[in-house]
Amino acid sequence: MVFTNAQLTTIHHALTKGAVCLDDHLVQGVLVYVESMVISHGIERFDYLELSQLQNPCAYIRMRSLQPINFFNDCDEPDVERVCRDQNFKPITLQVCYPVYYPNADPEPEWQTYARYERAQVIEAINTMLSLLCDQQFTSCRRCQCYFPTGFMTNGKCRYCCVDQRRHREVNHR
């Protein structure tokens, strides 16, 4: 998949703001993959991705793998390689959080599996995740600058900042 410079800028910004949570099997490969795309397109940026930014527990896109992913494609473990050839075994899971609305309450997060991938499809999985970040469904909170799905925002603020603001007002009115 080919991303435009504007999309890559959006992706890099979303990743630095903690929009995703990747497990230990994927985090380093995704970091190198994204940084290399940004560098190859000559996109100017003020900060580089850090592993911790890609492992945000409050993220709204998660990707994990049940087994280690070797991004250099030189598998030394024959048993793992045999399992990897099984078309029914898809160890990479991409999940997206969607808001669920209840009357008189803030939206609650609900995780849904977006797609599953075979180990050999890791680049396709990463590109799908990056495409999701390009969608308009994620915006930055005015207060904390973290990325959240649009449905979790109220007046430009995430639900966490809204709750903090309500608590602050309650304490000051006592």
Side-chain angles (χ1 to χ4, degrees), residues 60-126:
Y60 285 86
I61 294 179
R62 286 193 274 200
M63 193 162 63
R64 61 185 170 83
S65 177
L66 298 175
Q67 59 184 181
I69 301 296
N70 187 337
F71 285 87
F72 302 105
N73 212 18
D74 58 344
C75 189
D76 293 333
E77 303 172 43
D79 290 338
V80 170
E81 190 62 32
R82 182 179 46 73
V83 171
C84 296
R85 288 191 197 117
D86 182 356
Q87 295 296 321
N88 296 319
F89 183 61
K90 297 186 177 184
I92 302 170
T93 303
L94 179 61
Q95 293 181 310
V96 179
C97 187
Y98 295 98
V100 176
Y101 298 95
Y102 297 103
N104 303 321
D106 290 332
E108 291 294 323
E110 180 180 296
W111 287 97
Q112 295 178 8
T113 298
Y114 188 83
R116 292 186 192 281
Y117 298 92
E118 296 174 23
R119 186 173 157 205
Q121 297 174 305
V122 66
I123 299 301
E124 182 182 339
I126 294 170

Side-chain angles (χ1 to χ4, degrees), residues 1 20 58 82 112 129 142 145 155:
M1 172 172 245
V20 301
C58 298
R82 182 179 46 73
Q112 295 178 8
M129 179 192 70
R142 284 189 333 209
Q145 301 301 310
N155 297 327

Side-chain angles (χ1 to χ4, degrees), residues 115-163:
R116 292 186 192 281
Y117 298 92
E118 296 174 23
R119 186 173 157 205
Q121 297 174 305
V122 66
I123 299 301
E124 182 182 339
I126 294 170
N127 284 332
T128 301
M129 179 192 70
L130 299 178
S131 294
L132 287 169
L133 290 174
C134 291
D135 287 348
Q136 294 299 321
Q137 66 184 16
F138 288 90
T139 56
S140 181
C141 173
R142 284 189 333 209
R143 190 166 180 209
C144 69
Q145 301 301 310
C146 289
Y147 263 53
F148 293 93
T150 304
F152 285 93
M153 304 292 274
T154 305
N155 297 327
K157 292 186 230 157
C158 70
R159 68 189 190 117
Y160 303 109
C161 288
C162 287
V163 168

